[in-house]
Amino acid sequence: MLCRKAGVPASDVRGGITSHRARSTIASQLYNAKEPMTLFELQAWLGHRSPESTQHYAKISPNTLTKAYKDAGYFARNVRTIEVLVDREAVASGAAAAGEPWQHYDLGHGFCTYSFFEQCPHRMACARCDFYMPKDSSKGQLLEAKDNLQRMLATIPLTDEEQAAVDDGQAALDQLLERLADVPTPSGATPRQLLPIIEVRQGHAPKA
């Protein structure tokens, strides 16, 4: 009767159009509104005795779910953007194919030329391996002086320990270095072999 009065079909691809479906649609819209009703407010509005009944009516829309995930701030907390300098001259000349570094991850205090930087466990606690280039070195200064560079950004997911080292400073960095002291760097040697751990703790090693 209501469908006839509204001038709409009595059914669609989901089945019969009923007042129960209309009630569920309105409840879902109220639950996913810009200023949404809470589950308990919706329960009172629908006249349900228990929230379990209300949950069958209140369906979370994909947009609401996406917004909730974004508001949770996972990427803001766990991902950092790092500038990458790409030496186009090395690529064009073929030097890159011969093993010459062509991409340089800017760590602030220096550059990492390791191609698989995002996979390196030492990326936030550089141990001065063969892939590390201090900015105050002649190579680092030459790189920054080059005109034929392309600047790019790379997003790197960080572990909780790396995030703490970036955010909280020396104490967290000491803990990270201690854990990585015997983990080989990309060049093969461990931080303990490259630099005594006591020196690292005193701040002689670079940090991101």
Side-chain angles (χ1 to χ4, degrees):
M1 183 183 66
L2 290 173
C3 289
R4 286 198 303 270
K5 290 183 68 174
V8 298
S11 63
D12 59 12
V13 292
R14 294 179 56 192
I17 298 177
T18 64
S19 58
H20 182 270
R21 277 184 60 187
R23 180 178 165 87
S24 177
T25 299
I26 294 172
S28 294
Q29 290 176 342
L30 291 171
Y31 192 60
N32 291 283
K34 186 176 181 180
E35 297 293 336
M37 295 177 70
T38 66
L39 189 63
F40 292 107
E41 290 170 341
L42 199 57
Q43 176 187 344
W45 186 81
L46 291 170
H48 290 155
R49 291 184 178 181
S50 68
E52 286 78 10
S53 299
T54 309
Q55 288 177 347
H56 292 291
Y57 284 79
K59 306 297 183 184
I60 299 178
S61 71
N63 287 342
T64 299
L65 193 58
T66 300
K67 182 179 182 301
Y69 181 74
K70 182 179 179 182
D71 291 345
Y74 171 82
F75 284 104
R77 282 197 319 274
N78 298 299
V79 173
R80 283 291 180 270
T81 302
I82 293 180
E83 188 175 53
V84 186
L85 301 184
V86 176
D87 191 341
R88 291 181 291 176
E89 182 181 326
V91 175
S93 66
E100 185 74 19
W102 61 277
Q103 55 183 358
H104 305 78
Y105 293 87
D106 192 343
L107 307 179
H109 47 73
F111 299 100
C112 178
T113 61
Y114 186 44
S115 298
F116 303 100
F117 171 78
E118 70 280 357
Q119 300 174 19
C120 177
H122 298 273
R123 63 190 179 202
M124 293 302 159
C126 181
R128 293 189 185 276
C129 71
D130 291 345
F131 290 93
Y132 179 70
M133 181 192 299
K135 282 191 173 181
D136 57 3
S137 68
S138 57
K139 284 187 177 181
Q141 292 171 355
L142 179 62
L143 176 65
E144 291 190 304
K146 272 192 173 185
D147 293 329
N148 198 17
L149 290 174
Q150 179 180 354
R151 294 181 180 271
M152 303 175 64
L153 295 176
T155 54
I156 307 294
L158 304 182
T159 64
D160 291 341
E161 288 176 314
E162 290 172 338
Q163 183 67 50
V166 172
D167 292 342
D168 298 335
Q170 193 62 46
L173 182 61
D174 287 345
Q175 294 177 2
L176 182 59
L177 285 168
E178 179 66 33
R179 184 176 67 80
L180 296 171
D182 297 307
V183 177
T185 64
S187 61
T190 67
R192 200 183 298 278
Q193 294 168 333
L194 291 167
L195 192 65
I197 200 66
I198 186 65
E199 292 185 13
V200 175
R201 286 178 177 168
Q202 291 174 347
H204 295 304
K207 67 177 182 178

